Amino acid sequence: MSWNGIIHAFRDRLPLPTNAKAITLFEGNTPLLPAPRLTAAIGGDFDLRLKYEGLNPTASFKDRGMTMAVTHAVAKGAKLVICASTGNTSASASAYAARAGIASAVIIPSGKIALGKLTQALMHGAKLLPISGNFDDALNLIRQMSNLKEVEVVNSINPVRIEGQKTASFEILEALGKTPDFHFLPVGNAGNITAYWKGFCEAIPKGPRPRMFGWQASGAAPLVDGHIVKDPQTIATAIRIGNPASGEGALAAAKESNGRIDKVSDQEILSAYQLLAQTEGIFVEPACAAPVAGLRKAVAAGWIPKGSLVTMTLTGHGLKDPDTVLSLFPHAPSPIPPTLDAARKALGL
Ligand SMILES: *Cc1c(COP(=O)(O)O)cnc(C)c1O
């Protein structure tokens, strides 16, 4: 059967206005890849499967929620979708708005923006509105704009995004034919962990369900440290969030599943980022390496019993953020003479 996106695949499990026409780029149906070399490299003895969400149409999981949000926006007659974002939400919102033939606008807080994400919003014709304020100021402005006629806010305060994102859990269960023992993923605004847990609860009403292990960056770990972080800092820009919108959902998922929310340092993230790329051929953006680093920590701590089935969400594609890679490899190699001898010497052959 051909794949026509998550709304077509899971319509009976998603809240939609009757007769709403799906706005879709055929998102979802992403691969669940075995990762034996990564598992061995971190000293694990279990079955690890990676849900590679970087292979969605705009290269992050945000497309699952955005097909829902923009479908709702069009059904209610909105002419403009708007979001506050420094990244993947704006890339996805602008693409789905273009697909629907309506306008999009992005409120951009001050601070660093990953190059790939900005280029996507520009290319899809979004109106960019930089503000002199942080992400919280941007969200404040967005909340006020949500009352304007013909405007639909597609930030994660929009509840239908969680509904779309829960479909990744359905896909994991269908692909495996059984329930994972653990599910690992990064946590920023915490919408995704909330959505996965909702998906697992709906699909497995009586349990047992996976234990949810969510990972924050140590410079932006409000759910681990137990308080709002005023000036969050991490190279993993997609999870640089000091006051998560869905924080309660994340804490509930960890508690109800007997899982945990924990943190890893930028150093550990950058190391895991390269390990994943070099052991499995999978290139992700830095935020996705947080659960890889987390799994390493969990193995070292003895939390993962031998023979477990572990699934992990890799939330976005590595090409989003070329600057981080180049910062790891700052020196271009110098040229050699074009001779066999010189090539053999340079390659150690
Ligand atoms: C949005 C995003 C996250 C964080 O997801 P939350 O739902 O905010 O916790 C992580 N990784 C990538 C690539 C993202 O785009």
Side-chain angles (χ1 to χ4, degrees):
M1 215 180 71
S2 66
W3 182 263
N4 294 319
I6 62 154
I7 290 179
H8 285 102
F10 301 111
R11 189 157 196 141
D12 56 334
R13 296 191 251 178
L14 294 170
L16 283 159
T18 37
N19 302 327
K21 179 177 167 287
I23 307 299
T24 175
L25 287 161
F26 294 3
E27 59 294 312
N29 197 25
T30 52
L32 187 65
L33 291 155
R37 284 172 41 79
L38 174 65
T39 308
I42 62 177
D45 187 1
F46 45 77
D47 185 357
L48 173 63
R49 310 291 179 96
L50 305 172
K51 183 72 170 158
Y52 190 15
E53 289 287 281
L55 295 187
N56 274 296
T58 78
S60 85
F61 76 83
K62 298 293 197 297
D63 294 342
R64 292 181 187 273
M66 207 54 71
T67 183
M68 287 291 289
V70 176
T71 294
H72 271 263
V74 169
K76 77 168 210 199
K79 295 284 181 280
L80 171 72
V81 298
I82 187 161
C83 63
S85 170
T86 59
N88 285 328
T89 295
S90 63
S92 188
S94 55
Y96 281 81
R99 186 82 172 159
I102 61 178
S104 62
V106 184
I107 310 284
I108 304 177
S110 53
K112 201 171 150 272
I113 301 177
L115 190 62
K117 305 175 188 181
L118 182 67
T119 58
Q120 286 178 288
L122 283 170
M123 201 58 197
H124 294 304
K127 202 168 196 87
L128 304 184
L129 295 179
I131 58 163
S132 50
N134 62 19
F135 189 79
D136 286 336
D137 299 322
L139 263 189
N140 252 332
L141 175 57
I142 283 280
R143 283 211 174 86
Q144 294 170 48
M145 296 190 69
S146 66
N147 300 322
L148 298 179
K149 236 184 105 202
E150 304 202 328
V151 171
E152 179 85 342
V153 171
V154 297
N155 269 96
S156 52
I157 53 176
N158 183 327
V160 302
R161 281 189 45 196
I162 304 268
E163 293 291 328
Q165 287 168 208
K166 78 183 179 188
T167 59
S169 294
F170 301 161
E171 290 178 18
I172 288 173
L173 295 172
E174 281 178 22
L176 291 172
K178 55 184 170 182
T179 304
D181 300 304
F182 295 87
H183 187 78
F184 277 59
L185 76 176
V187 174
N189 253 316
N192 213 28
I193 188 171
T194 303
Y196 270 78
W197 183 238
K198 186 168 199 292
F200 285 131
C201 289
E202 286 180 16
I204 320 166
K206 300 217 173 94
R209 306 183 190 110
R211 296 175 64 187
M212 303 295 290
F213 277 50
W215 296 89
Q216 302 203 285
S218 50
L223 299 175
V224 184
D225 299 342
H227 56 78
I228 290 171
V229 177
K230 270 251 155 59
D231 184 22
Q233 295 296 342
T234 168
I235 43 101
T237 53
I239 53 172
R240 194 179 58 208
I241 305 282
N243 185 12
S246 301
E248 281 175 20
L251 295 172
K255 186 158 179 243
E256 291 166 20
S257 73
N258 189 26
R260 66 191 288 137
I261 311 288
D262 206 333
K263 60 183 178 182
V264 283
S265 70
D266 275 12
Q267 210 63 36
E268 292 168 311
I269 289 173
L270 285 175
S271 162
Y273 175 59
Q274 293 173 83
L275 186 67
L276 173 64
Q278 293 171 14
T279 55
E280 297 291 356
I282 300 174
F283 183 23
V284 296
E285 65 172 285
C288 320
V292 179
L295 185 58
R296 208 177 208 175
K297 182 171 173 176
V299 168
W303 294 336
I304 314 289
K306 193 175 164 191
S308 297
L309 177 56
V310 182
T311 50
M312 179 187 295
T313 308
L314 302 176
T315 44
H317 201 287
L319 289 171
K320 296 271 192 180
D321 190 0
D323 292 327
T324 298
V325 179
L326 295 178
S327 75
L328 295 171
F329 301 95
H331 306 296
S334 33
I336 58 162
T339 64
L340 181 59
D341 267 359
R344 286 181 64 172
K345 188 156 167 256
L347 297 172
L349 295 172

